[in-house]
Amino acid sequence: MPSAQKPMRYGHTEGHTDVCFDDTGSHIVTCGSDGDVRIWENLDDDDPKSINVGEKAYSCALKNGRLITAVSNNTVQIHTFPEGAPDGILTRFTMNANHVVFNSDGTKIAAGSSDFMVKVVEVTDSSKQKTFRGHDAPVLSLSFDPRDVYLVSASCDGSVRVWKIADQTCTTSWPLLQKCNDVINAKSICRLGWQPGSGKLLAIPVDKVVKLYRRETWDSQFDLSDTFITQPLNVVAWSPCGQYLAAGSVDGSIVVWNVETQECIERMKHEKNYSICGLAWHPKYRQIAYTDTEGNLGLLENVGDGKKPNDKVASTVTKDYNDLFDGEDDDYLNGDMIEPQSSPKVGANEDDGDDDDLMPTSGHPRRAIIDDDDNSLDIGMIKANSNLLEKEDDDDDDQTGGFPALPPSSTQQPFYDGPMPTPKQKPFQSGSTPAHLMHRFMVWNSVGIIRCYNDEQDNAIDIEFHDTSIHHATHLPNSLNHTMADLSTEAILLACESTEELASKLHCIHFSSWDANKEWTVDMPKDEDIEAICLGQGWAACATSALLVRVFTVGGVQKEIFSLPGPVVSMAGHGEQLMIIYHRGTGFDGDQCLGVQLMELGKKKKQILHGDPLSLTKKSYLIWVGFSAEGTPCYVDSEGIVRMLNRGLGNTWIPVCNTREHCKGKSDHYWVVGIHENPQQLRCIPCKGARFPPTLPRPAVAILSFKLPYCQVTTEKGQMEEQYWRSVVFHNHVDYLSKNGYELDENTKNQSVKEQQELLMKLFALSCKLEREFRCMELADLMTQNVVNLAIKYASRSRRLNLAQRLSEMAVEKASELATALEDEEEEEDFRKHLSAGYSNSATEWSRLPVRNVQQDQEMEDTEETDAYEEVEETPEVHKQRPNPFSKGVTAAEVTAPKSVVIASSSQGRVNPFKVSSNKKDPVVPSANVLDTMSKYSKKNSLSSSRAVNKQNPPVIKPLIPKPKSKQALAASFFQARIPNSSEKTVEEREEKAGNESSEVKVTAQENTESKRPKTGFQMWLEENRANILTDNPDLNEAEVIKEGMSRFRMLSSEERMVWTEKAKGGTVNDLTDDKKRKRPTADEDEAKKNQEQKSEDSNLSKKPKPLDQSTNVRLSAFAFKQS
Amino acid sequence: MEPAEAEFLAEKELVTIVPNFSLDRIHLIGGDLGPFNPGLPVEVPVWLAINLKQRQKCRLIPPEWMDVEKLEEIRDQERKEDTFTPMPSPYYMELTKLLLNYASDNIPKADEIRTLVKDTWDTRIAKLRLSADSFVRQQEAHAKLDNLTLMEINTTGTFLTQALNHMYKLRTNLQPGESAHSQDF
């Protein structure tokens, strides 16, 4: 029997619908609660003809080129068919008519209304009316006797009456239905039907059975029922031959019986179980069109094909089986994908007759059908692209399309039932609505809106800017029929497809141009159509049907051109980044197979994503692709999942929002228009019952928040974890941008770090409370140095000494790890110094222009791993500057104080490379930093100048953690021996406080070695050559001297540089290893005291530390007391 | 209180606008406003909305209740009930007037809305007059008037209280015995 159940598609807005075929069966006509009658060529009709007949259409009937509709203004109207021109009003009621039907020859219509009346009107002469009074409630349905003698009507009063048309009397009446007071409350709309032809039988759906009454005698002949029907039947329809009867129920099942044999030949379930309210047989073929109360239209083909007498039981069983699997089609399909042959076989065996031999042969016709189905899907998909509304239905259909065939209830036609290829998604512009609409958005992005009007009077494009200071609103005639558009702050880009005469054109309005010619156009070569366009900063790009991407400057110069691996889906540009999504191959079972390329078209061209597969939700397709305002690539799929590139995790994609979670209704969607990372905003337009907004009334933008799909976000822990990682993900862009030389506000970065660290601390506290000390350790691993110290303090306060111990050990370990890493890189030290110094140079003239030296560039091209490595590498320098600013504030003496300690401090970098880079990026810091490194070698010189620098740049000193905490944190940090703190005071503090205080020895040890800190080749070189530089340029300050030295050093040949590096190494390695050996702390408190004394002697004695000492001593001892 | 004063108070109500300029958060005595991002809806007081609108710096998004269907419902409800029904906004009249005067191009079906609000207003004022009338006639000592808005109170408040004063004086002068009697109650 396999009837092919064609995918449901959107027909009308939600609400009651009706359906019928035209006389020849070439069109399906539907009407719905949106007041439109739609004429469909077939189910896959992309652009059905719509006739607006009123505010709501309740019922429609079509015969002899006349379309009768019952509409909400209480009239029954005629329209010509297929033109759809209004042809007058046939009759009026005091309430709306609920059902209209033609008689068999089309000369009369009958209409039943909510005002309890039934009227029969001659179509050609509306004055000839007959009124049937007798119902005590709204009339539900009507049916004409094919012989034109009787009329039957069902009403909300529970009765079904048969009227004699001639004398308008009631012949008989059955109280069959449940009483109700209005049509909308009726359990069933009770569409009844007279058997065509002889009119011998009258079919009435009564609850779950169809009662058949014999003409004239009006006695119940028999009932048709089926176990498949579990809910009341809504509608019955006879096949034109009178042999079959179809019935649709309120839960969406459709059953077809052979009336003669009274057996069920077809059972089918609506894919979404919506109530069937319209059912019509094709006049010639075995097709049934049906509509549901949600406005969808479906088609059932080959009804009753290959029906077999003995099939009945088997089919019931399998159908039930179907039902069982209804929710899990996917798995089912997957199973089949693995074993495509198995299920047809099972089916074949089930039905004795067919054996394996039959399969291949008879497989062909069936395959043809399937193919056909695919085509239909294909068109469905095209539609989906152009008219996104339907897509949802289509999606589900992909499964149902293949589904009915799977458990072969009828088996004579085995066929291919493996995975079906998904039709490829058509190219689209992000933020546009379907091109076939008369009024549409060509683009809506963060810059502005481009609307296109294409109706009788006008074919024009309206451009409007959100920010009128960019440009004023513009109105353009659309003579070339542009269908694609993009908008940036410097230009408008439009493109049209080719026509017979005209080539496909790219049209750019470069409004920010300073010359008089603000427009340019480019014709594509013959047979090459533009399929997607985008604008970046200073460039425009288009992808064409020839699988080419053409890049132009915004002024119209042709630049790069390259081939795409597959047909383009969409493109997006931002700054110098270009993202292209294309088809990598054919997807199966509803999935798309897309790839993404991300490239940078700046000075240094490179590809970041090399055609990686794009992750999409199952059975979804892409609907939006673009960049966040900060330049992170993002995309949205049809399931409403917003994904963002996570540059912090090897350029993976992370889902950041599910817009469907925010929707109220099932058919509501959010139409994304922009993404901002700071503040975190997803800007989109809520669309009720649609996937995209209409142009009028002007839609308002709503803001959704992001939410990473972490587990258990209802718990405090899950929530904070989500927040933490969201904060991390949404600040990746800071790193990226600064790496690419964009100017950044240091504050935002500090704030994010602060926020993240706060969350970590909260999590830490929570874990502490839950006695999860191991987890605490893991969390501490993510923390920055300062916060780890805070955590140590917290742990010891909450009497978790074990934890505190471990934490401090960890802190030490981390520090040493870094030191090791540093040592390993020792040979590159020279290079690194060079690098960082170079960085500092550029930093002073920090600007949008990416200033990088060659080494930096190389490093950037490196993989993620080396990126991290690099970061680690850079940290030491970065951190050196941190202690110093403090020390400057305290005493001058300390400037010369511990240097080697600095290395330890870089453990922070390991914990949070992020933070480090923030420091690194501070335009001022690097120079200070270089000075510091230098200062120990040329103390006299550097002292004054570095001081000066620091004075000038107080912000550098600012601690990253909140003020009140910072004090504590500092104090806490002295648990850790190797922490760099140049200030005497703090060192002492640390030593005093140490409860567990192993670390002290190490500190001192280190302090001792500090002066022996390894020099780099460059430093050594500089020491020797400083004099030269100074004589050459006597008026240089320290920073400039280094800069100059840097450039000179760079000019040296590589051999010379090596020599210096070697020199530097020879001098330093021993020191460092020595240093390391002494790492493990063993000292007790006394020793620490001693060390402290020793230390204070060692270093230049300062006045300040002393008083401070005392106060901190008091505090710390109090603390220690508390602890014990 | 003058109607102008009521209007002044109404200008503190918040409405949503879509600015077409970019401005950081502004700090005012009454509180912080903004930040203004082009194309992004933001809530501002009516006075600022009108000012910006007049300078063509924003597009106004009408309040949710300023919608033909909702107002029809309100009007019908108002007509059906004998007492005053709650209004969608305590300053519905003032807001309608202000917004429709200055931003009617951003409000769909502005004329219908104007009519509907006027209808509602008329109904309410009629009710108010009626109840004032019966209040005076029956010489009641107090009456309960829920859900009246400031502007509505304004229309009769001063007049009614003064009129009552006068009437009281007249009564006490003309019929001292009776008024004294009534005071015993």
Side-chain angles (χ1 to χ4, degrees):
Chain A
M1 97 178 173
S3 69
Q5 184 184 357
K6 286 241 191 169
M8 294 293 284
R9 60 164 301 160
Y10 171 85
H12 296 271
T13 53
E14 286 167 35
H16 178 77
T17 49
D18 202 1
V19 62
C20 56
F21 278 96
D22 73 349
D23 299 339
T24 61
S26 54
H27 294 93
I28 307 171
V29 179
T30 60
C31 70
S33 54
D34 49 5
D36 284 349
V37 170
R38 300 223 160 89
I39 303 167
W40 314 76
E41 300 273 349
N42 52 42
L43 190 64
D44 312 313
D45 189 354
D46 215 4
D47 192 15
K49 186 177 161 114
S50 276
I51 308 166
N52 191 283
V53 293
E55 265 182 38
K56 268 185 177 182
Y58 292 97
S59 174
C60 65
L62 178 64
K63 213 155 220 162
N64 300 341
R66 290 194 183 88
L67 175 69
I68 311 286
T69 49
V71 289
S72 56
N73 60 358
N74 308 342
T75 60
V76 175
Q77 303 173 328
I78 313 186
H79 288 78
T80 58
F81 180 84
E83 297 80 22
D87 198 15
I89 289 174
L90 213 48
T91 184
R92 286 175 196 279
F93 293 94
T94 53
M95 291 281 274
N96 59 282
N98 291 317
H99 196 197
V100 287
V101 285
F102 269 106
N103 68 350
S104 52
D105 57 1
T107 53
K108 286 183 223 162
I109 64 114
S113 148
S114 286
D115 64 3
F116 312 175
M117 296 224 281
V118 177
K119 284 184 186 175
V120 172
V121 190
E122 290 210 5
V123 177
T124 46
D125 182 0
S126 60
S127 62
K128 287 185 186 157
Q129 292 197 354
K130 284 177 177 159
T131 309
F132 300 77
R133 293 165 208 269
H135 279 299
D136 303 321
V139 179
L140 287 168
S141 312
L142 299 162
S143 179
F144 258 114
D145 169 17
R147 291 198 222 160
D148 247 356
V149 181
Y150 298 108
L151 175 75
V152 63
S153 63
S155 157
C156 288
D157 61 10
S159 67
V160 175
R161 284 166 188 252
V162 181
W163 312 82
K164 201 158 194 160
I165 298 172
D167 49 11
Q168 297 157 50
T169 53
C170 180
T171 311
T172 184
S173 169
W174 301 287
L176 292 173
L177 312 174
Q178 273 202 355
K179 289 189 183 182
C180 58
N181 54 9
D182 199 359
V183 182
I184 50 164
N185 299 327
K187 271 216 168 130
S188 144
I189 54 170
C190 194
R191 292 272 190 263
L192 25 73
W194 224 300
Q195 189 174 27
S198 59
K200 254 201 296 194
L201 292 169
L202 170 64
I204 305 170
V206 179
D207 199 28
K208 290 171 207 163
V209 299
V210 180
K211 280 187 182 292
L212 288 147
Y213 288 87
R214 191 192 290 276
R215 190 190 172 88
E216 308 293 354
T217 63
W218 310 121
D219 56 349
S220 176
Q221 180 84 354
F222 52 87
D223 292 353
L224 290 174
S225 62
D226 195 82
T227 48
F228 188 59
I229 304 168
T230 55
Q231 290 286 313
L233 293 169
N234 226 0
V235 32
V236 300
W238 288 88
S239 69
C241 58
Q243 233 187 325
Y244 305 110
L245 182 72
S249 77
V250 295
D251 66 345
S253 36
I254 296 180
V255 179
V256 183
W257 291 275
N258 182 330
V259 179
E260 257 168 60
T261 59
Q262 299 180 31
E263 74 184 355
C264 178
I265 59 162
E266 182 77 63
R267 300 173 184 85
M268 169 275 184
K269 191 82 179 165
H270 184 294
E271 62 206 25
K272 298 220 178 88
N273 295 352
Y274 293 150
S275 174
I276 308 285
C277 61
L279 207 55
W281 284 78
H282 192 279
K284 296 193 189 91
Y285 307 124
R286 286 177 164 178
Q287 273 184 359
I288 298 178
Y290 58 98
T291 55
D292 62 32
T293 50
E294 300 291 317
N296 300 314
L297 169 66
L299 196 61
L300 207 56
E301 289 190 327
N302 308 325
V303 177
D305 257 9
K307 107 197 123 70
K308 294 169 145 196
N310 64 350
D311 185 37
K312 189 171 179 180
V313 180
S315 69
T316 341
V317 172
T318 45
K319 278 292 188 185
D320 286 345
Y321 189 54
N322 277 4
D323 265 6
L324 274 175
F325 280 85
D326 227 350
E328 311 168 308
D329 305 10
D330 297 354
D331 306 64
Y332 206 63
L333 275 177
N334 286 346
D336 274 302
M337 244 186 268
I338 302 155
E339 267 184 303
Q341 283 299 323
S342 66
S343 63
K345 259 186 215 161
V346 171
N349 298 339
E350 211 172 272
D351 232 298
D352 54 290
D354 307 311
D355 51 26
D356 295 21
D357 287 359
L358 192 56
M359 274 170 38
T361 48
S362 59
H364 284 293
R366 184 57 202 172
R367 197 166 288 153
I369 294 167
I370 297 272
D371 286 348
D372 188 48
D373 206 35
D374 285 336
N375 288 340
S376 74
L377 265 176
D378 195 1
I379 300 165
M381 281 296 277
I382 299 165
K383 224 172 341 187
N385 286 315
S386 54
N387 183 359
L388 295 155
L389 267 176
E390 289 107 28
K391 180 52 193 178
E392 197 176 7
D393 291 344
D394 283 5
D395 278 349
D396 299 349
D397 294 335
D398 294 47
Q399 59 204 53
T400 38
F403 183 68
L406 287 178
S409 43
S410 82
T411 48
Q412 14 141 255
Q413 291 176 320
F415 54 90
Y416 173 74
D417 62 350
M420 302 292 174
T422 320
K424 285 181 178 172
Q425 170 174 14
K426 295 285 162 198
F428 68 95
Q429 289 296 118
S430 288
S432 68
T433 55
H436 67 82
L437 298 176
M438 283 201 292
H439 297 213
R440 63 180 285 243
F441 291 109
M442 290 176 91
V443 65
W444 182 322
N445 61 20
S446 52
V447 177
I449 303 167
I450 301 185
R451 271 168 302 195
C452 177
Y453 301 97
N454 187 9
D455 45 24
E456 287 87 22
Q457 318 121 13
D458 206 11
N459 189 353
I461 294 175
D462 247 348
I463 300 149
E464 195 185 310
F465 293 84
H466 294 314
D467 192 340
T468 44
S469 62
I470 295 176
H471 195 246
H472 56 81
T474 316
H475 185 83
L476 303 171
N478 189 11
S479 50
L480 288 167
N481 223 349
H482 290 302
T483 52
M484 289 160 263
D486 200 5
L487 185 62
S488 77
T489 49
E490 38 180 35
I492 301 160
L493 191 65
L494 299 162
C496 61
E497 284 169 3
S498 62
T499 58
E500 274 108 28
E501 309 97 63
L502 292 168
S504 181
K505 270 191 174 60
L506 189 68
H507 180 191
C508 180
I509 302 164
H510 181 209
F511 54 76
S512 69
S513 159
W514 43 263
D515 66 6
N517 282 326
K518 306 228 181 262
E519 290 187 38
W520 53 270
T521 55
V522 171
D523 281 6
M524 292 297 124
K526 217 175 159 232
D527 301 326
E528 195 174 325
D529 269 337
I530 297 177
E531 294 196 311
I533 56 174
C534 70
L535 273 172
Q537 194 186 345
W539 55 268
C542 69
T544 67
S545 53
L547 302 189
L548 283 177
V549 175
R550 297 167 180 277
V551 183
F552 302 83
T553 64
V554 76
V557 179
Q558 301 201 41
K559 285 179 76 188
E560 290 85 358
I561 180 165
F562 58 93
S563 282
L564 272 181
V568 71
V569 177
S570 196
M571 296 210 292
H574 180 278
E576 50 190 43
Q577 301 179 82
L578 166 66
M579 177 160 59
I580 307 165
I581 313 274
Y582 61 89
H583 287 288
R584 281 169 60 236
T586 307
F588 283 90
D589 289 329
D591 298 336
Q592 296 286 337
C593 182
L594 305 181
V596 55
Q597 284 192 337
L598 178 66
M599 41 218 317
E600 285 181 0
L601 299 172
K603 287 243 165 55
K604 185 171 50 66
K605 314 218 157 40
K606 59 177 176 180
Q607 195 167 354
I608 293 162
L609 295 178
H610 306 258
D612 305 356
L614 194 72
S615 20
L616 287 174
T617 315
K618 233 175 176 341
K619 295 189 193 306
S620 71
Y621 56 99
L622 196 67
I623 55 170
W624 188 89
V625 49
F627 288 87
S628 72
E630 287 77 9
T632 309
C634 306
Y635 65 90
V636 185
D637 66 29
S638 57
E639 294 297 304
I641 310 290
V642 184
R643 288 188 180 79
M644 181 180 265
L645 189 72
N646 188 357
R647 298 197 207 259
L649 188 67
N651 288 340
T652 47
W653 296 95
I654 179 168
V656 291
C657 182
N658 182 356
T659 60
R660 297 307 300 271
E661 270 176 12
H662 297 267
C663 293
K664 286 190 197 91
K666 240 203 307 195
S667 52
D668 296 352
H669 292 90
Y670 280 97
W671 193 68
V672 175
V673 296
I675 292 174
H676 288 240
E677 288 175 80
N678 187 27
Q680 294 176 19
Q681 288 179 338
L682 177 64
R683 298 183 183 181
C684 48
I685 294 168
C687 307
K688 217 173 171 200
R691 278 192 173 271
F692 53 83
T695 52
L696 281 174
R698 203 189 149 100
V701 178
I703 290 171
L704 297 184
S705 53
F706 292 105
K707 194 172 136 206
L708 306 190
Y710 273 80
C711 299
Q712 292 183 310
V713 283
T714 44
T715 66
E716 214 180 337
K717 171 174 166 283
Q719 207 176 344
M720 284 192 288
E721 283 162 346
E722 193 268 339
Q723 280 175 9
Y724 172 73
W725 287 108
R726 178 148 47 88
S727 172
V728 169
V729 167
F730 276 84
H731 287 96
N732 278 338
H733 69 92
V734 178
D735 243 0
Y736 173 77
L737 287 181
S738 50
K739 224 184 233 175
N740 280 288
Y742 286 89
E743 202 171 321
L744 272 179
D745 184 9
E746 197 66 11
N747 275 346
T748 58
K749 188 170 174 77
N750 291 346
Q751 251 162 23
S752 76
V753 172
K754 183 179 146 190
E755 177 191 313
Q756 286 159 20
Q757 295 303 324
E758 262 172 20
L759 281 166
L760 281 178
M761 199 56 219
K762 275 188 206 159
L763 273 168
F764 180 89
L766 189 72
S767 306
C768 258
K769 217 184 284 170
L770 297 174
E771 318 248 308
R772 296 246 175 212
E773 300 200 353
F774 189 83
R775 198 180 279 168
C776 289
M777 289 294 288
E778 289 168 326
L779 287 166
D781 204 33
L782 296 167
M783 293 175 182
T784 61
Q785 195 71 55
N786 285 340
V787 184
V788 169
N789 294 326
L790 195 63
I792 295 172
K793 189 156 191 189
Y794 182 93
S796 38
R797 275 236 174 110
S798 50
R799 305 192 174 222
R800 293 178 199 286
L801 294 182
N802 183 23
L803 178 63
Q805 175 78 38
R806 279 172 182 281
L807 280 173
S808 52
E809 271 169 31
M810 186 185 72
V812 171
E813 220 163 87
K814 274 202 274 183
S816 67
E817 246 171 57
L818 252 158
T820 338
L822 197 76
E823 193 177 308
D824 292 345
E825 291 149 22
E826 194 62 15
E827 39 187 82
E828 287 168 70
E829 175 90 332
D830 148 57
F831 157 75
R832 230 170 45 234
K833 283 294 169 205
H834 185 148
L835 171 67
S836 74
Y839 205 95
S840 71
N841 275 345
S842 64
T844 50
E845 57 229 28
W846 192 270
S847 70
R848 282 210 64 157
L849 206 109
V851 192
R852 315 178 194 105
N853 58 31
V854 185
Q855 289 96 324
Q856 270 174 308
D857 287 355
Q858 278 166 355
E859 281 189 5
M860 269 167 211
E861 266 152 18
D862 280 346
T863 55
E864 172 65 7
E865 206 185 332
T866 53
D867 269 351
Y869 178 81
E870 178 202 7
E871 233 137 35
V872 172
E873 254 185 273
E874 280 173 10
T875 45
E877 286 91 26
V878 169
H879 277 275
K880 267 168 247 164
Q881 92 255 5
R882 300 195 61 221
N884 272 339
F886 283 117
S887 66
K888 300 292 180 316
V890 184
T891 85
E894 272 116 38
V895 178
T896 54
K899 274 299 143 166
S900 64
V901 183
V902 161
I903 299 162
S905 82
S906 50
S907 63
Q908 266 178 336
R910 161 108 340 168
V911 183
N912 193 347
F914 220 49
K915 183 176 173 190
V916 166
S917 45
S918 94
N919 283 328
K920 172 183 78 190
K921 267 144 226 152
D922 187 321
V924 196
V925 170
S927 59
N929 142 27
V930 172
L931 292 180
D932 295 341
T933 53
M934 305 313 300
S935 62
K936 66 189 130 173
Y937 304 107
S938 50
K939 280 168 194 165
K940 281 161 239 152
N941 287 344
S942 64
L943 180 59
S944 55
S945 64
S946 66
R947 214 172 171 188
V949 169
N950 279 312
K951 261 179 208 152
Q952 278 161 9
N953 307 294
V956 180
I957 310 173
K958 238 191 276 171
L960 291 180
I961 50 163
K963 269 274 152 73
K965 278 182 199 163
S966 69
K967 192 95 201 240
Q968 280 182 330
L970 275 176
S973 71
F974 304 121
F975 266 120
Q976 206 201 317
R978 304 200 57 192
I979 289 231
N981 231 311
S982 39
S983 104
E984 286 304 53
K985 147 198 111 176
T986 44
V987 169
E988 277 170 8
E989 236 174 67
R990 154 189 37 154
E991 288 169 14
E992 296 250 344
K993 144 189 220 196
N996 34 354
E997 308 1 347
S998 23
S999 9
E1000 260 64 297
V1001 175
K1002 218 177 9 155
V1003 173
T1004 43
Q1006 246 186 312
E1007 236 99 45
N1008 294 339
T1009 57
E1010 71 207 14
S1011 54
K1012 293 180 227 154
R1013 192 182 181 274
K1015 296 173 183 182
T1016 67
F1018 170 65
Q1019 283 162 342
M1020 295 181 85
W1021 179 87
L1022 188 68
E1023 268 179 84
E1024 297 219 348
N1025 292 284
R1026 177 183 299 278
N1028 290 345
I1029 296 170
L1030 280 174
T1031 44
D1032 290 355
N1033 308 295
D1035 50 356
L1036 287 184
N1037 69 20
E1038 184 62 20
E1040 281 162 335
V1041 167
I1042 288 160
K1043 220 195 274 183
E1044 175 66 25
M1046 194 66 60
S1047 51
R1048 287 190 188 196
F1049 186 70
R1050 235 180 280 170
M1051 280 192 297
L1052 294 178
S1053 70
S1054 57
E1055 290 93 305
E1056 277 176 292
R1057 266 185 273 176
M1058 276 307 283
V1059 170
W1060 282 108
T1061 317
E1062 288 301 314
K1063 253 193 216 174
K1065 250 204 278 182
T1068 53
V1069 170
N1070 293 340
D1071 296 342
L1072 250 155
T1073 45
D1074 187 34
D1075 200 14
K1076 267 189 78 188
K1077 270 179 215 145
R1078 315 200 41 178
K1079 206 176 301 145
R1080 273 298 113 175
T1082 47
D1084 62 18
E1085 210 170 17
D1086 289 351
E1087 204 175 346
K1089 267 252 158 73
K1090 204 172 75 190
N1091 284 333
Q1092 184 206 330
E1093 283 159 20
Q1094 190 186 339
K1095 183 139 203 239
S1096 45
E1097 279 164 17
D1098 274 1
S1099 59
N1100 296 343
L1101 285 169
S1102 60
K1103 285 143 226 156
K1104 263 195 185 162
K1106 275 270 141 105
L1108 262 173
D1109 258 344
Q1110 276 152 10
S1111 72
T1112 43
N1113 276 347
V1114 171
R1115 260 197 299 156
L1116 289 166
S1117 55
F1119 178 51
F1121 179 68
K1122 232 190 269 169
Q1123 258 185 327
S1124 53
Chain B
M1 190 190 252
E2 296 281 309
E5 290 173 87
E7 192 178 276
F8 177 77
L9 293 178
E11 284 182 354
K12 279 204 186 109
E13 287 289 286
L14 294 179
V15 288
T16 311
I17 59 162
V18 180
N20 60 17
F21 59 94
S22 187
L23 188 70
D24 211 4
R25 191 174 279 273
I26 48 174
H27 308 282
L28 304 177
I29 297 177
D32 294 354
L33 297 177
F36 300 90
N37 291 309
L40 209 60
V42 62
E43 282 208 332
V44 296
V46 172
W47 58 264
L48 182 62
I50 289 171
N51 183 293
L52 290 173
K53 178 70 198 166
Q54 281 177 322
R55 291 190 288 152
Q56 302 194 318
K57 287 279 184 202
C58 76
R59 197 162 50 79
L60 190 117
I61 294 178
E64 209 173 297
W65 54 267
M66 207 174 270
D67 166 77
V68 172
E69 246 168 66
K70 290 211 175 94
L71 287 173
E72 265 171 359
E73 209 171 278
I74 288 166
R75 181 196 59 184
D76 294 344
Q77 184 72 15
E78 188 64 55
R79 285 184 178 168
K80 213 163 68 190
E81 302 240 335
D82 285 335
T83 52
F84 296 97
T85 55
M87 284 291 107
S89 154
Y91 301 104
Y92 75 100
M93 193 61 193
E94 299 92 309
L95 288 181
T96 314
K97 190 160 179 296
L98 287 168
L99 299 185
L100 287 179
N101 276 357
Y102 296 104
S104 55
D105 53 332
N106 293 147
I107 301 172
K109 301 191 182 168
D111 290 340
E112 274 177 65
I113 287 169
R114 201 188 295 267
T115 320
L116 282 168
V117 172
K118 186 80 171 76
D119 282 355
T120 314
W121 169 266
D122 287 346
T123 316
R124 290 169 70 89
I125 295 300
K127 266 185 207 174
L128 190 58
R129 290 215 189 94
L130 207 69
S131 56
D133 182 53
S134 62
F135 178 75
V136 173
R137 261 175 215 282
Q138 292 165 25
Q139 296 191 18
E140 296 287 349
H142 59 84
K144 186 173 159 186
L145 291 168
D146 282 350
N147 297 326
L148 267 188
T149 66
L150 189 58
M151 189 61 112
E152 286 158 350
I153 294 169
N154 241 326
T155 54
T156 82
T158 17
F159 173 73
L160 184 66
T161 43
Q162 276 177 8
L164 288 175
N165 271 342
H166 282 300
M167 272 190 284
Y168 175 74
K169 272 184 204 148
L170 292 171
R171 281 212 189 94
T172 42
N173 287 344
L174 285 177
Q175 308 156 309
E178 197 182 303
S179 76
H181 183 70
S182 73
Q183 273 175 349
D184 291 344
F185 276 99

